[in-house]
Amino acid sequence: METETIRRLFKRIFYRRPNIKVGDIVSHRGREARVVMIDRDYVLSSTNILFQLNVYIYDLKLVKSINIPDVYNGDKVIIHDIPKDERQNYPGIWWDDCKGIFDSSRLFTVLLTYEHKHYGRVVTIEYEGRIYNLLAYHIEVVRDYDIF
């Protein structure tokens, strides 16, 4: 067996799996990136320049854990911008006309929310006749409160 394979097997058996989720900022060999996918024990980062395509999850250090909002079908949400370096590995297809999604003053109604085994919580919205699936880490839920 290769040394790298033995090292990974040892870590998998004896180390506690890091509590890393999609949206978190992690560090690998001194470089930071956002996690956009987790597949079993491998992580796809926001940029292939920082990490190779897949990095073993046990080799990562958590830099910043993000808060995934509780979002439900029918909720009103604001969608914060996704930086260009994160878009290249973001699930789905990007069109130039979807830039209006990231207008922080615009409210969208959540059509569907679900947990994906690789991407975590996914939120589905409609914008100008198209359906978009977005990762929940950059979504802000706007709650309606009655004032008495």
Side-chain angles (χ1 to χ4, degrees), residues 43-137:
V43 173
L44 179 64
S45 72
S46 57
T47 171
N48 287 336
I49 297 169
L50 288 182
F51 296 169
Q52 296 162 349
L53 186 58
N54 289 304
V55 175
Y56 198 52
I57 197 166
Y58 293 92
D59 294 337
L60 298 175
K61 178 182 174 192
L62 181 63
V63 174
K64 181 180 178 188
S65 180
I66 55 93
N67 207 8
I68 302 291
D70 290 327
V71 58
Y72 304 98
N73 298 351
D75 280 352
K76 301 290 186 198
V77 295
I78 295 172
I79 299 162
H80 297 289
D81 193 16
I82 301 167
K84 285 184 182 182
D85 64 329
E86 293 179 24
R87 291 180 192 176
Q88 68 183 5
N89 282 332
Y90 198 87
I93 299 171
W94 289 98
W95 293 280
D96 287 337
D97 60 347
C98 74
K99 291 177 184 172
I101 291 174
F102 308 112
D103 177 0
S104 63
S105 65
R106 183 176 210 139
L107 287 178
F108 293 93
T109 301
V110 174
L111 302 176
L112 178 67
T113 181
Y114 61 95
E115 294 293 324
H116 188 279
K117 69 180 186 176
H118 300 302
Y119 297 112
R121 187 164 301 141
V122 177
V123 174
T124 303
I125 64 160
E126 182 269 331
Y127 174 67
E128 294 187 350
R130 291 187 177 167
I131 300 297
Y132 292 89
N133 290 309
L134 303 165
L135 302 182
Y137 72 82

